[in-house]
Amino acid sequence: MNLQEQIRDYLKPAGKQVISLVEEDIEFLSSHIESDEKIISATTSWKRATFFLYLLTSKKILTSEKIKKEKNLISYDLNAISNLIVNRKFLSVEVMFTHLKNEIKIKLNSDDATKAFADKLENNFGISEKPIPKKKEKEPKTIKLNMTILNGKEQIKESGFNYVLQQTKHGYIDIVVDFKEPETFKLIKWERVENVQKSASSIVGWTVIGSKFGNAGAIAGAMGANIGKDKSVATLFLKRENGEKVPLVIKCDKKDLEKLSLLIVAEEEEIIQADVTPSPATSIPTEELIKLKELLDVGILTQEEFDAKKKQLLGI
């Protein structure tokens, strides 16, 4: 393969049309290649409505310019080049370097031929491959919410009167009590529930039945069973570092819900399930039992009637 064929071969990724537009340059530059010089790569540049050829050889970077219809050779000796920088852009590739104290800037076409040319240049000057910078994960803006806790206060290590939820890190929330040091929890998920009794049922499904979390009647007593048009409750499903589950039922209004919707939950996939799982053949009628307990609490049912109905529902 002669020198001109080698140059065309390097230009193949740019396409036949580009090659045809630099045929005159191919002939001109190949005539200036020395016998002990090897062609390493070739590409083109588009400027002043004309394509220009650039060659990288084992000794030089070569191109040409036309002055008064005459082609003049431009040659940059590799041994005299320093501070070479390759800047890959969307529509072009810029090569900048210092040659004999002169600052040189070459703007090349952005195509596969130029990509190979730029890679060869960097390899020749020992420029290490640039690591792709990791995209820095944006931390959320601090979200603050003054909480009215309806159920679960006793699960918080600090007790007080003022409870503030805040999130400054993805997947975690801090709970600050009376301006003391915050306690950090992993936020597994949160759920809005318009009916307090349903919210209480969801808590029962995440903790051991009979735990500190009271029945729906206790929560409903704090607010009433149905909260109203713009009122609601939300259940926050939290975890301590040691894996301890901490569900909280909090009172919400429209603004509170907007803030909750901005919270970013933990990435881990959690299945919120009962600590005590019934056998597949049976299921515990939680809502019916809660209603029965409320009737017992207000005195509509006697203990005997409650026990009998409970046994009937559980199939005992």
Side-chain angles (χ1 to χ4, degrees), residues 68-213:
K68 295 181 181 181
K69 297 184 180 181
E70 291 292 326
K71 278 192 176 293
N72 290 321
L73 179 71
I74 298 174
S75 176
Y76 304 105
D77 189 343
L78 295 185
N79 291 327
I81 290 176
S82 61
N83 304 320
L84 185 134
I85 297 172
V86 176
N87 189 10
R88 293 170 173 82
K89 296 187 175 182
F90 180 67
L91 295 175
S92 65
V93 173
E94 290 181 350
V95 178
M96 294 165 283
F97 55 85
T98 304
H99 182 261
L100 300 175
K101 297 184 179 179
N102 295 314
E103 300 299 322
I104 309 298
K105 184 176 180 180
I106 301 170
K107 191 173 182 179
L108 303 171
N109 296 331
S110 183
D111 55 35
D112 288 342
T114 296
K115 182 181 177 183
F117 186 91
D119 289 345
K120 293 286 187 182
L121 260 180
E122 289 186 322
N123 290 339
N124 187 83
F125 285 90
I127 299 172
S128 58
E129 186 177 343
K130 300 178 185 70
I132 299 171
K134 288 185 180 179
K135 200 172 183 181
K136 192 174 180 182
E137 188 180 77
K138 286 185 178 180
E139 291 294 348
K141 292 180 181 178
T142 301
I143 300 164
K144 285 189 176 182
L145 172 67
N146 289 311
M147 294 191 299
T148 300
I149 301 176
L150 301 175
N151 208 306
K153 262 187 196 179
E154 57 270 49
Q155 292 285 321
I156 307 299
K157 288 179 180 178
E158 295 282 356
S159 60
F161 300 97
N162 182 263
Y163 293 81
V164 178
L165 174 154
Q166 61 185 26
Q167 184 175 64
T168 57
K169 181 181 178 183
H170 289 165
Y172 293 87
I173 63 165
D174 294 329
I175 294 179
V176 181
V177 182
D178 292 343
F179 309 103
K180 298 175 184 175
E181 283 295 314
E183 184 179 1
T184 301
F185 298 87
K186 182 179 284 187
L187 177 61
I188 304 304
K189 72 169 188 171
W190 71 272
E191 288 181 349
R192 177 190 176 184
V193 187
E194 293 182 358
N195 184 290
V196 185
Q197 286 137 338
K198 287 183 181 178
S199 186
S201 300
S202 69
I203 287 180
V204 171
W206 210 47
T207 61
V208 178
I209 296 172
S211 70
K212 294 180 182 179
F213 288 88

Side-chain angles (χ1 to χ4, degrees), residues 13 38 45 64 69 87 99 132 140 152 181 187 189 195 210 219-220 225 233 236 249 264 288 292 299 308 312:
K38 181 182 177 184
S45 173
S64 64
K69 297 184 180 181
N87 189 10
H99 182 261
I132 299 171
E181 283 295 314
L187 177 61
K189 72 169 188 171
N195 184 290
I219 306 173
V233 296
L236 303 176
V249 176
I264 299 172
E288 289 87 343
L292 283 177
Q312 181 184 342

